[in-house]
Amino acid sequence: MIRRLMSRKIKYSKIAIVALLTVLIWVWADLAVDETLLVPNVSISIVKSSNPALWAAFQNEGEPPVSSISMKHIVLKGPTSRIAEVERELSNGMLDLDFSLNPELIEMTTPGSHPLTVLDFLRNRSSEIGELTGVTVESCEPNTLTVNVEMLVETSLTVGCFFDESRRSQDFESITPATVTMFLPKNWGRERPARVELTPAEIERARSEAIEKIPFVVLADGQKRYAGPVQVKMPPAGDLLEKLKVGGVGVSFCFSPITQGKYRVVLDNRIEVMSEIGIRATQQAKDEYEAMIYQVRLEIYDDDAEATDWVSRELKYDFPDEYVRRNQIVLDQDPVTVRFKLERLASNENP
């Protein structure tokens, strides 16, 4: 009887050992065989720096900067079971393979263009994502990106009031403070205001009491930069400005020292450019504006001289500063887009 029991124990032990060895063999086999998984459209987004003066964006030659870029694909590599698990999690939305780039953490804090080796960046970042434990980034397309870093400068801007996200400006009774300070690119035009956007409900509420809003600007890559809060008060419904027309429009051309005196401007849509301007204003503001020599301005850039076709650019409306500050004159139409080209003056032609 004792021998029989001992025999059973020995058999059970052997079975357990065999089972354990089988499991270990399967685990070893799984770890020994790597699989790859191609994941398309993985994005890398540049996060806003903690330094308000630092602005980083992806830059492709000849294209506007962008804060987020979509990779053609990345290729993951790992044990068969882990790759299958990652594929399942991607398909059911449990795993997000969009990566964030913080310029300060990778020492991109000096102005200029910085090459980014994407594969090295992804490998370092993937180790921080728990869901990718045991999986490596094998390759990616593209493998190199350019990050442009610019140091912004402190700039004072007036605050303008707009209807929701449209370009239509709104009359306001007061904005306090009337100007805000923000970090912006050094070539940011002072005529471009910081925006506060009001919904119809907010406009109605602001007629009876001032409401708090956060002014912002939108940089070239679509990133918003915010200022401190302001108090916005709208005029009573009965105090709206009159809809008026300004005739006898004069156009000034703003050249740089490089093009000044060397070219003349040829307008393709002269009638449209010289047509009446729709404004909302007090009668006094309208009269002052109409009495000016030039009501609108066309800015001429140096590279316009190299254009082989018509150049399109919006007119600038030079309303009297005094009435702009008092919110007594605003444009009541879409800005006119001028089609023009530059012709070299005969006295400046090469012999």
Side-chain angles (χ1 to χ4, degrees):
M1 184 69 175
I2 293 173
R3 287 181 178 178
R4 191 175 299 169
L5 291 172
M6 291 181 63
S7 175
R8 286 179 180 177
K9 287 182 179 180
I10 293 172
K11 289 180 180 180
Y12 290 152
S13 298
K14 287 182 178 179
I15 292 172
I17 292 171
V18 171
L20 178 61
L21 289 174
T22 301
V23 171
L24 291 174
I25 290 170
W26 277 105
V27 170
W28 177 85
D30 180 67
L31 294 173
V33 179
D34 280 339
E35 292 283 347
T36 59
L37 174 64
L38 186 146
V39 183
N41 303 322
V42 174
S43 70
I44 303 177
S45 300
I46 298 179
V47 301
K48 186 178 176 181
S49 170
S50 59
N51 179 359
L54 190 149
W55 175 36
F58 292 114
Q59 185 71 64
N60 291 324
E61 188 174 353
E63 297 181 10
V66 293
S67 58
S68 180
I69 196 164
S70 181
M71 308 282 293
K72 290 183 179 178
H73 65 259
I74 66 172
V75 176
L76 302 177
K77 183 178 181 180
T80 302
S81 60
R82 275 299 288 126
I83 290 295
E85 185 179 356
V86 169
E87 189 170 15
R88 283 195 304 272
E89 291 176 348
L90 285 171
S91 63
N92 60 27
M94 294 179 62
L95 177 59
D96 182 2
L97 283 189
D98 293 335
F99 295 86
S100 297
L101 185 154
N102 186 329
E104 293 173 295
L105 295 182
I106 55 176
E107 298 182 351
M108 289 186 179
T109 55
T110 55
S113 296
H114 300 263
L116 176 70
T117 303
V118 182
L119 185 58
D120 291 343
F121 167 75
L122 294 178
R123 284 175 173 171
N124 291 334
R125 287 290 289 115
S126 64
S127 65
E128 301 171 18
I129 302 177
E131 291 89 337
L132 291 183
T133 302
V135 176
T136 60
V137 181
E138 184 71 7
S139 62
C140 61
E141 176 64 32
N143 191 42
T144 304
L145 294 172
T146 300
V147 178
N148 187 66
V149 175
E150 184 175 343
M151 298 308 294
L152 307 179
V153 295
E154 205 166 17
T155 306
S156 178
L157 293 182
T158 58
V159 183
C161 188
F162 295 83
F163 181 76
D164 280 347
E165 296 181 358
S166 71
R167 296 171 58 189
R168 184 154 55 91
S169 62
Q170 288 288 308
D171 302 325
F172 57 89
E173 183 176 295
S174 64
I175 295 181
T176 309
T179 60
V180 292
T181 300
M182 311 177 73
F183 283 94
L184 299 172
K186 60 183 179 181
N187 60 348
W188 190 274
R190 290 182 178 272
E191 71 275 7
R192 300 162 68 182
R195 299 172 63 96
V196 290
E197 295 177 350
L198 276 65
T199 65
E202 288 175 325
I203 290 173
E204 289 306 313
R205 184 158 57 90
R207 294 194 192 283
S208 57
E209 61 178 357
I211 63 173
E212 183 175 281
K213 296 293 292 185
I214 304 297
F216 67 90
V217 299
V218 181
L219 300 185
D221 64 347
Q223 182 187 128
K224 288 185 177 181
R225 290 290 174 121
Y226 295 91
V230 297
Q231 297 292 319
V232 181
K233 182 74 168 61
M234 303 299 286
D239 290 347
L240 299 177
L241 303 177
E242 293 181 69
K243 286 179 172 290
L244 301 169
K245 294 287 186 179
V246 172
V249 176
V251 185
S252 66
F253 302 109
C254 182
F255 290 84
S256 78
I258 294 176
T259 54
Q260 178 70 41
K262 298 177 181 178
Y263 295 89
R264 74 182 186 94
V265 179
V266 179
L267 301 179
D268 183 43
N269 57 331
R270 186 178 187 84
I271 294 177
E272 184 182 4
V273 171
M274 308 296 290
S275 61
E276 289 184 326
I277 301 170
I279 62 171
R280 283 183 295 130
T282 62
Q283 187 62 49
Q284 184 178 6
K286 182 257 187 185
D287 292 342
E288 290 280 347
Y289 182 48
E290 200 167 40
M292 293 169 59
I293 298 175
Y294 301 111
Q295 285 71 37
V296 294
R297 167 171 42 95
L298 177 63
E299 295 180 347
I300 307 299
Y301 304 156
D302 293 340
D303 55 5
D304 293 341
E306 301 171 6
T308 57
D309 203 351
W310 296 102
V311 180
S312 295
R313 184 161 302 129
E314 285 187 354
L315 285 174
K316 304 290 185 181
Y317 294 79
D318 292 326
F319 298 130
D321 289 341
E322 176 185 357
Y323 296 100
V324 171
R325 286 195 299 268
R326 295 179 184 175
N327 309 310
Q328 292 182 3
I329 185 168
V330 292
L331 187 65
D332 194 33
Q333 64 176 48
D334 290 332
V336 171
T337 297
V338 185
R339 294 187 303 277
F340 71 96
K341 59 184 175 183
L342 300 183
E343 285 188 356
R344 195 166 189 73
L345 297 174
S347 60
N348 288 284
E349 291 179 351
N350 293 325

